[in-house]
Amino acid sequence: MSTCYGAERRRLFARLGSVPNVPLRQSFWQNTAVTASGYQRIGVTFMSRTRINHVLQTSEPGSIVNVRGWVRTRRDSKQGFSFVELYDGSCFSGLQIVVDANVPGYEHIKEVTTGASLSVTGEVKASQGAKQRVELLAQKLELLGKADAETYPLQKKQHSFEFLREIAHLRPRTNTFGAIARVRNAASAAIHEFFQERGFNYVQTPIITTSDCEGAGQMFSVTTMDLHKLAKSGGEVDFNQDFFGKHASLTVSGQLEAEIFACSVGDCYTFGPTFRAENSNTTRHLAEFWMVEPEMPFYDLDDNMALAEAFIKHVVGRIMERRADDMQFFNERIDTTVIATLRNILDHEFIRLSYTEAIEILEKSGQKWEYPIAWGGDLQSEHERFLTEQHFKQPVILFNYPRTLKPFYMRCNEDGKTVRAMDVLVPRVGEIIGGSQREERLDVLELRMKECGLNPADYWWYVDLRRYGTVPHAGFGLGFERLIQLVTGMVNIRDCIPFHRVPKSADF
RNA sequence: UCCUCUGUAGCUCAGUCGGUAGAGCAAGCGACUGUUAAUCGCUGGGUCCUAGGUUCGAGUCCUAGCGGAGGAGCCA
């Protein structure tokens, strides 16, 4: 970044020969920066480079710009010029550049192949072609980096997602993965926006934990002990000798810590990586994924469900608004129903359905189930899909599950059989949110812990929240990559994170 | 972890009854062209995942292993 201050700034202006009459502080707050080419808006121009999205959307014909990026395709005309499509990731489309044979740099045109990097200065022109508003008539072309066409893995054709997973370092250069990256970014921003607008505190909960069981699956161990030595010794493992003096793991949830802040500074949320060492091989599980976990004091289950619905609608709405170009691509090439699905989500109230009511609907459905329906049993994928994809055809929030199916921290209902749990189910992806009102009563919580085979003493700090100034509170967890699956229509969650970690695979 | 499918050219795949290998795309060369998944012609390109086995002979059949995909479970 070339924003500069003080002596450096004076030197720069001395070199440029003029000092714009704008106070530095004012320029900073007006979202501008001093650059080598004078004052320009941050985010549009970087040094002397203009982003392609800006050229395509707002650059006036006649203006001179410099663009830099990677070549998508080149088409030559023997009349003595070439078309180069340049992509810099700033938007879905590339910029068509017309390079005449007399342009300095044209002598390297044969090396301007798919994947090569270029810097091109030229004049913005209204396009003669039908597929773009403007194009760039090159005045100078600089080949920054070659990409040998014989060995460069990406071609001007569709590749399978399986193949692209093997070249995860190059796949963000493709249409699909560029679009996913931008949508992921828009989703992250919308998530922070949603909570910040509502006065939530963003809390960073620990990645490393020594709570042996957080109630959400197998954990990865963290150790500095020499495993080779340990294997040879054949003795017992003494975690007192380990870095933390006890057995440590990667977190499977920030919820327990988030509750601490909910019960002190108020509404809060976490947004961070989560690790599950389950041997899960599906299109919707990752060993390392990102989770959003809001936690709110003085919320009951109804408040919690209302927040979850507003949350999903906010994020989906923002993405549709801000990444319309990428969404159009997903709708054309990935899943032709994805925009309709999202509209449907925005336009309708989520169905709220108790577990008991869901069981009744499934029993009366007349469907043949691979797994039988019975009150007290877990709902299977086929049951959840039936509810969201066939029966209601929209998101469904299931609540009040049997207590035997759910972890210790969920609040027990007066019926003695159910807890105030909720799962938000969406078409195709399934469970995207899991949450609950938390058990705030000390005696009930301790009872439930024992019922679940846990020792309350191991969670003394968690139990303390109920001992001192306990309040009703609630929260939920949203799987960020599942949200990306929902929004993009991508089938496999491994394609919804830049670098996926699953059993037998953690490259890049 | 279980079930099913799958592994052949850079990529996507075909390969019949067991008889030593094919297409499209990509690449290289050429033609043509304000083109935009351009088009047309020619050329080059193979450890048929690995290790065993059956057989005169295995890409093809059998066994084991290792990948990959889909479904299920666990969950977000």
Side-chain angles (χ1 to χ4, degrees), chain A residues 290-344:
Chain A
W290 288 68
M291 189 151 66
V292 181
E293 294 179 287
E295 195 69 36
M296 297 74 63
F298 318 112
Y299 267 52
D300 64 15
L301 189 65
D302 289 332
D303 300 328
N304 202 25
M305 291 193 278
L307 187 80
E309 177 173 352
F311 173 59
I312 288 180
K313 285 181 169 172
H314 172 91
V315 175
V316 165
R318 282 288 183 279
I319 291 169
M320 302 250 284
E321 214 170 279
R322 294 179 187 164
R323 292 271 39 115
D325 57 344
D326 295 316
M327 287 311 303
Q328 192 188 334
F329 167 80
F330 289 124
N331 204 53
E332 279 168 15
R333 294 296 185 88
I334 302 297
D335 174 1
T336 54
T337 66
V338 69
I339 287 182
T341 302
L342 298 184
R343 286 255 157 75
N344 189 45

Side-chain angles (χ1 to χ4, degrees), chain A residues 3 18 46 48 136 197 203 240 258 275 278 356 384 409 498:
Chain A
T3 309
S18 71
F46 182 81
S48 56
L136 191 69
E197 280 171 1
V203 181
N240 292 318
F275 307 88
E278 303 288 347
T356 304
E384 296 181 351
Y409 51 76

